[in-house]
Amino acid sequence: MLRVQAYRFVLRPDGAQERLMRRSCGARRYVFNRALALRKERYAAGGKHLSYANLCKHLTACKAEPDTSWLKEVHSQVLQQALKDLDRAYRNFFEGRAEFPKFKRKGKNDAFRHPQKVELDQPNGRIRMPKLGWMRCRASRAVEGGVGQVTVSLKAGKWHVSVQTEREVERPVHPSTTLVGIDVGVTRFATLSDGTVIEPANAFRKAEASLAKAQRAMARKIRFSSNWRKAKAKVQRVQARIARIRSDFLHKASTTVSKNHAVVCVEDLDVRAMTASAAGTVEEPGVNVRQKAELNKAILDQGWGEFRRQVGYKQEWLGGWLLPVPAPNTSRTCPECGHVAAGNRPSQAVFRCVACGHAGNADDVASINIARAGHARLACGDASPVRASAQEPTEAGPALAA
């Protein structure tokens, strides 16, 4: 099987290299915004749809213009990748996976990509990219496989490089034979059907006060002044620290779950719909808006979607499966008698069956029901486990322990 993996390292550019990387980010942003404006203008005028090939011709003409000749300083593939990103954004919009493409803003998601002609010198801790030459990088781990495209990004004042690799590996056999159901929540991050409880990291909640203080300080500064830029850098450092804590927590939790269980059953949750605003409209204002906003903040702080994504690809690498099951009534069904009722859950944490009297923690009950639903779907053959890459599972899956 083909294993695609990315490695992320901190870059250590010199002054000239950093200036060229900033110009590359700016040129990519300019090309993306100009192409988006052109496509919107063409659509409003009822003109022909502009494909990626058509936009490449416009890019060539744009480089020849005196006012935009500075685009020649940046490698051509960086600009072409911006057009590919726009084309992909349009496809995602029309296929219902994302919102309509928006114009990019300076200082937000500054990055550029090289699809080829990249060399990695691991023993000496350096990487070579077109027009940038050799650059020092903090290679904290060995890179396996052939180097493909690389993405350079600027986050909180630090440059990072993400190296994508591909290599052929034998299809693994998972060392475990167990199936587990996982119920995710806010008070408990994850409750497993084997009784394990993973407490949440609450990265944002713990740093919320310091982040608000830094944001208030930035709001008092004159925009784009020297002090405003310093205050903005402080805000970005706090936000980057929150992201690092959350990412570290999710990777550790997903790795532990994936290594210990061959099949992981999770609720098929629509997190985007669950965290939608309750503000409503002017004609029909929402109710409990503030409470819903706090709940949304707590849900997004946990990173349920990223946790599921990580478990999915790690299961694939280990030879296991990720099995989504329907979410309705998982915490309202009695695991003893099977009675389903809203009254079975009198509070957020308490489960008490109104038919047989069985009582327990609502998260424990939900995890058990999720595991049983996964077993039932596998036994009945009405669903197959899915992998992170949406590939078809192998014919011989992991043998599950009774």
Side-chain angles (χ1 to χ4, degrees):
M1 60 176 286
L2 180 65
R3 175 164 172 171
V4 180
Q5 186 172 358
Y7 301 83
R8 187 165 174 261
F9 305 127
V10 177
L11 286 173
R12 296 171 178 171
D14 57 30
Q17 290 172 331
E18 183 170 3
R19 287 191 293 272
L20 182 54
M21 289 194 295
R22 289 185 181 275
R23 283 199 294 269
S24 298
C25 291
R28 173 186 174 274
R29 182 174 59 252
Y30 175 83
V31 170
F32 183 95
N33 290 343
R34 179 161 175 167
L36 177 57
L38 183 61
R39 291 189 66 161
K40 293 178 70 174
E41 180 183 350
R42 181 67 65 91
Y43 176 78
K48 185 180 178 182
H49 165 73
L50 290 175
S51 64
Y52 167 73
N54 298 132
L55 291 175
C56 284
K57 296 179 181 178
H58 283 276
L59 176 60
T60 304
C62 184
K63 286 183 178 180
E65 297 176 5
D67 294 340
T68 53
S69 59
W70 51 271
L71 291 174
K72 298 178 182 179
E73 300 175 9
V74 179
H75 198 272
S76 60
Q77 290 184 346
V78 171
L79 308 181
Q80 292 168 1
Q81 292 299 306
L83 299 180
K84 285 191 175 183
D85 289 342
L86 177 62
D87 194 58
R88 186 182 304 109
Y90 264 91
R91 287 202 308 272
N92 290 338
F93 168 71
F94 286 117
E95 294 174 8
R97 294 191 297 268
E99 297 179 352
F100 188 80
K102 298 179 181 179
F103 291 103
K104 295 189 177 295
R105 188 174 60 185
K106 183 179 180 180
K108 185 176 182 181
N109 299 327
D110 285 339
F112 61 91
R113 186 169 64 249
H114 283 290
Q116 57 185 2
K117 298 181 180 179
V118 178
E119 298 180 43
L120 180 63
D121 184 6
Q122 294 190 62
N124 296 314
R126 58 178 188 164
I127 187 171
R128 179 186 173 278
M129 287 176 282
K131 287 203 173 185
L132 290 170
W134 287 103
M135 190 184 312
R136 305 293 298 179
C137 67
R138 186 181 176 185
S140 54
R141 57 183 301 192
V143 176
E144 301 181 55
V147 177
Q149 69 177 18
V150 300
T151 302
V152 179
S153 58
L154 176 62
K155 295 182 180 179
K158 291 186 178 181
W159 290 95
H160 299 82
V161 60
S162 179
V163 182
Q164 181 176 298
T165 64
E166 294 183 358
R167 68 181 188 273
E168 286 289 340
V169 297
E170 294 184 4
R171 188 169 295 279
V173 177
H174 202 284
S176 175
T177 59
T178 60
L179 178 147
V180 70
I182 300 180
D183 176 68
V184 292
V186 175
T187 305
R188 293 178 175 183
F189 171 73
T191 304
L192 279 62
S193 57
D194 62 1
T196 304
V197 176
I198 302 176
E199 297 297 334
N202 294 326
F204 177 79
R205 189 176 67 183
K206 292 178 180 179
E208 188 174 7
S210 59
L211 177 60
K213 181 179 178 181
Q215 289 174 330
R216 286 195 298 268
M218 186 181 74
R220 290 192 294 265
K221 305 294 189 295
I222 299 175
R223 285 177 63 86
F224 306 114
S225 65
S226 178
N227 287 336
W228 180 84
R229 296 181 190 278
K230 293 178 184 178
K232 181 182 178 182
K234 186 173 182 179
V235 171
Q236 291 176 336
R237 286 196 296 270
V238 177
Q239 292 173 332
R241 184 171 181 272
I242 294 172
R244 288 196 302 269
I245 293 174
R246 183 184 294 119
S247 177
D248 178 72
F249 167 76
L250 292 175
H251 273 292
K252 288 178 179 177
S254 59
T255 298
T256 300
V257 170
S258 299
K259 285 184 176 180
N260 294 332
H261 304 284
V263 176
V264 177
C265 305
V266 296
E267 289 179 296
D268 195 8
L269 299 174
D270 187 354
V271 180
R272 177 177 295 182
M274 293 175 63
T275 56
S277 173
T281 62
V282 177
E283 295 78 11
E284 297 181 4
V287 295
N288 298 326
V289 177
R290 186 176 183 84
Q291 293 86 337
K292 183 61 166 63
E294 291 297 323
L295 176 61
N296 293 348
K297 188 190 301 182
I299 292 175
L300 294 175
D301 190 20
Q302 304 307 317
W304 294 347
E306 178 64 12
F307 176 71
R308 172 174 168 171
R309 186 190 73 86
Q310 291 182 10
V311 171
Y313 77 76
K314 290 176 182 179
Q315 282 291 88
E316 183 176 356
W317 288 355
L318 292 170
W321 283 339
L322 174 69
L323 177 60
V325 300
N329 296 323
T330 53
S331 61
R332 297 179 176 181
T333 303
C334 179
E336 294 294 328
C337 67
H339 180 69
V340 181
N344 287 350
R345 193 172 181 179
S347 67
Q348 183 66 26
V350 176
F351 179 91
R352 188 178 296 109
C353 181
V354 296
C356 70
H358 174 75
N361 186 281
D363 295 335
D364 292 331
V365 169
S367 64
I368 294 173
N369 289 330
I370 292 170
R372 290 180 177 177
H375 263 300
R377 297 191 71 185
L378 290 175
C380 296
D382 64 339
S384 298
V386 295
R387 299 185 180 273
S389 59
Q391 297 175 350
E392 289 296 325
T394 54
E395 295 180 359
L400 301 182

